Amino acid sequence: MHETGVSRIEDAPRISGCGPILSASAAPSRPLRQQIFESVRAAGRSARADVTRNLGISAGSATTLSAELIAAGFLREVEGLTREAGRGRPPVALEVVPDARLVIGIKLSDALHTAVLTDFAGTVLANASQPTPDHRKSVENILTEVSDLIAALLANADRSLSEVSAIGAGLSGLIDHNTGMVLWSPLLDQRDLPLGPALQQRFGLPVFLDNDANMLTLAELWFGAGRARSDFAVVTIEEGVGMGVVLGNRLFRGSRGIGLELGHTKVQLDGALCRCGQRGCLEAYVADYALAREAATALGRNAHNLQSASVMLDKLFAQAKAGNVSARTIFRRAGRYLSLGLANVVQLFDPELIILSGERMQYDYLYAEEVMAEMRALILADGREPCPVEIHAWGDLVWARGASALALSAVTDMALGEGWAG
Ligand SMILES: [Zn+2]
């Protein structure tokens, strides 16, 4: 009788025991060996005594396990720490052997693909980028373009593909990270494409695929302002509006790969038409194409002869700066909708920090002080300090670096977790 898909539970479940029931894979616990490695990598260089203290383990365990990690070629000893009081031998520190593993991170986008080659310590060894025609592509097109990109990257680094352990890649759209399926992406010509498995087959390497907003969030978590924060959100404003959220130091992905689509949360019932086909999405008020639609009218252009959205937006922005009232109104209105979206993020997740990122951060009307004030006014915070908002106008390289973090994290699990062969 419940055609709506809502089930009614009328009796209390008769299951014995209590507390969450999770399989081992749902609640991963990293072996101590891996925790030691990650602690050293996070510090850059670390004395055994610091590792012992940070992880709350015995000096004996730290010595035994770090010896295993050194023997397996993942850590090495260096005389890197400053000598205390100028006497005795300088203390020995541990650091990651950078060449132990190499990974590639890739950002696929509509005009330019970008890639970085990263070592096991997280250092970028080389980068490459490749322009791409702005139209929807088949998986075969993407494979060819990625092959060219990776060839250019490896040539820049003077390395070969056989030295690489994994590839991380990000693109916009709905991506099922677990299967590598792209449910929908503005870059691809069809729905439900197995891009991850296709890349894996082409390069003979493990490939980890994710939404591009998650890539950027990983970049902040691994290399940026999120390193020392356990709960934060990244909101990206590019062609569309994306979001990534870290909860308890982990990227939150939801259960089916359709979560955190801030751009498609509704801010108006029966509102403006969004490119997803639904109405009233935040994106339909804030994203490029939404602003370009209004810009065409405000600048008196023929709507049937639209220039590219970015050219149109640059003109609109120049007009707004020059005092054109209707141009300003368009940006201000978009900013007000953004404040509504950000207020909802704060109210739902209560993050320590929101990072606003993406190419559109050049349009400062979107995050003007009045937009931030409006955001704060929309939040029921009961006198608590407002959530800080930082603007990070990173380029594509940082996104690609986030993709490399996805691969680094997986390769670390493979080498030091279950797959430990040391
Ligand atoms: Zn939408």
Side-chain angles (χ1 to χ4, degrees):
M1 292 299 288
H2 304 302
E3 288 165 12
T4 56
V6 176
S7 14
R8 274 172 62 152
I9 312 254
E10 312 210 333
D11 290 314
R14 294 188 195 86
I15 302 172
S16 54
C18 76
I21 302 169
L22 296 174
S23 69
S25 65
S29 66
R30 283 146 34 258
L32 197 48
R33 177 197 322 119
Q34 184 175 350
Q35 291 181 43
I36 290 174
F37 175 85
E38 288 176 350
S39 165
V40 171
R41 180 163 61 190
R45 267 181 191 182
S46 196
R48 278 188 186 77
D50 294 331
V51 174
T52 307
R53 194 167 43 244
N54 289 344
L55 297 177
I57 58 176
S58 72
S61 298
T63 303
T64 309
L65 293 171
S66 58
E68 284 179 27
L69 288 162
I70 291 168
F74 294 119
L75 291 184
R76 67 185 177 197
E77 288 185 319
V78 283
E79 291 187 351
L81 300 179
T82 44
R83 188 190 313 242
E84 276 171 37
R87 281 185 297 148
R89 280 198 317 136
V92 169
L94 296 169
E95 69 173 21
V96 171
V97 177
D99 254 16
R101 294 286 186 276
L102 300 181
V103 300
I104 291 175
I106 297 175
K107 185 197 184 193
L108 298 170
S109 55
D110 53 3
L112 191 76
H113 301 321
T114 312
V116 295
L117 181 71
T118 304
D119 68 22
F120 213 22
T123 306
V124 173
L125 302 180
N127 65 72
S129 57
Q130 191 123 316
T132 169
D134 182 6
H135 59 73
R136 286 172 177 257
K137 299 178 177 91
S138 66
V139 168
E140 201 47 49
N141 296 149
I142 296 274
L143 289 182
T144 307
E145 292 179 357
V146 171
S147 286
D148 294 347
L149 180 67
I150 287 181
L153 176 70
L154 292 171
N156 288 347
D158 198 19
R159 301 275 191 162
S160 73
L161 190 61
S162 62
E163 296 175 78
V164 176
S165 295
I167 298 171
L171 66 163
S172 55
L174 299 177
I175 319 288
D176 185 334
H177 167 70
N178 293 320
T179 61
M181 290 291 294
V182 179
L183 310 182
W184 173 84
S185 169
L187 303 187
L188 292 172
D189 61 358
Q190 289 180 54
R191 287 173 182 260
D192 296 317
L193 292 173
L195 182 62
L199 286 164
Q200 196 148 320
Q201 197 175 12
R202 168 68 66 104
F203 299 103
L205 287 173
V207 172
F208 303 93
L209 214 59
D210 214 331
N211 172 293
D212 59 358
N214 280 350
M215 298 280 114
L216 192 62
T217 308
L218 281 173
E220 294 286 0
L221 180 64
W222 277 65
F223 309 111
R227 287 193 65 201
R229 289 185 167 88
S230 60
D231 305 283
F232 67 94
V234 174
V235 172
T236 60
I237 307 176
E238 297 245 305
E239 276 229 314
V241 178
M243 177 160 82
V245 167
V246 167
L247 298 176
N249 297 305
R250 292 175 68 90
L251 184 66
F252 174 78
R253 284 201 174 87
S255 61
R256 287 166 297 154
I258 61 166
L260 300 172
E261 288 294 327
L262 180 65
H264 302 285
T265 58
K266 307 301 180 274
V267 291
Q268 185 86 56
L269 267 180
D270 299 328
L273 187 62
C274 176
R275 62 178 176 165
C276 73
Q278 298 197 342
R279 285 189 174 276
C281 298
L282 178 62
E283 227 178 81
Y285 295 91
V286 174
D288 282 14
Y289 64 91
L291 294 177
R293 187 164 52 195
E294 299 206 335
T297 311
L299 302 175
R301 316 265 160 171
N302 182 346
H304 297 292
N305 187 23
L306 288 181
Q307 294 160 290
S308 85
S310 63
V311 173
M312 187 72 88
L313 276 184
D314 285 343
K315 285 189 177 152
L316 186 72
F317 187 61
Q319 290 279 321
K321 286 284 169 198
N324 180 324
V325 174
S326 55
R328 264 188 200 183
T329 309
I330 291 172
F331 280 111
R332 290 252 160 87
R333 179 164 177 268
R336 293 192 66 202
Y337 274 100
L338 181 63
S339 69
L340 176 58
L342 295 178
N344 289 343
V345 170
V346 173
Q347 207 81 74
L348 283 169
F349 295 104
D350 187 20
E352 283 176 79
L353 171 71
I354 292 182
I355 296 166
L356 276 181
S357 197
E359 284 174 33
R360 301 311 163 253
M361 290 302 109
Q362 58 183 302
Y363 304 130
D364 51 12
Y365 289 108
L366 289 179
Y367 51 89
E369 180 43 42
E370 61 208 75
V371 171
M372 295 299 128
E374 183 142 19
M375 175 192 110
R376 292 193 287 271
L378 289 168
I379 298 165
L380 183 64
D382 206 25
R384 297 279 195 278
E385 280 288 300
C387 173
V389 177
E390 286 182 10
I391 316 296
H392 293 178
W394 304 135
D396 284 357
L397 274 179
V398 171
W399 298 63
R401 218 174 162 209
S404 78
L406 185 68
L408 266 185
S409 162
V411 164
T412 308
D413 286 343
M414 289 189 284
L416 299 162
E418 286 169 20
W420 171 256

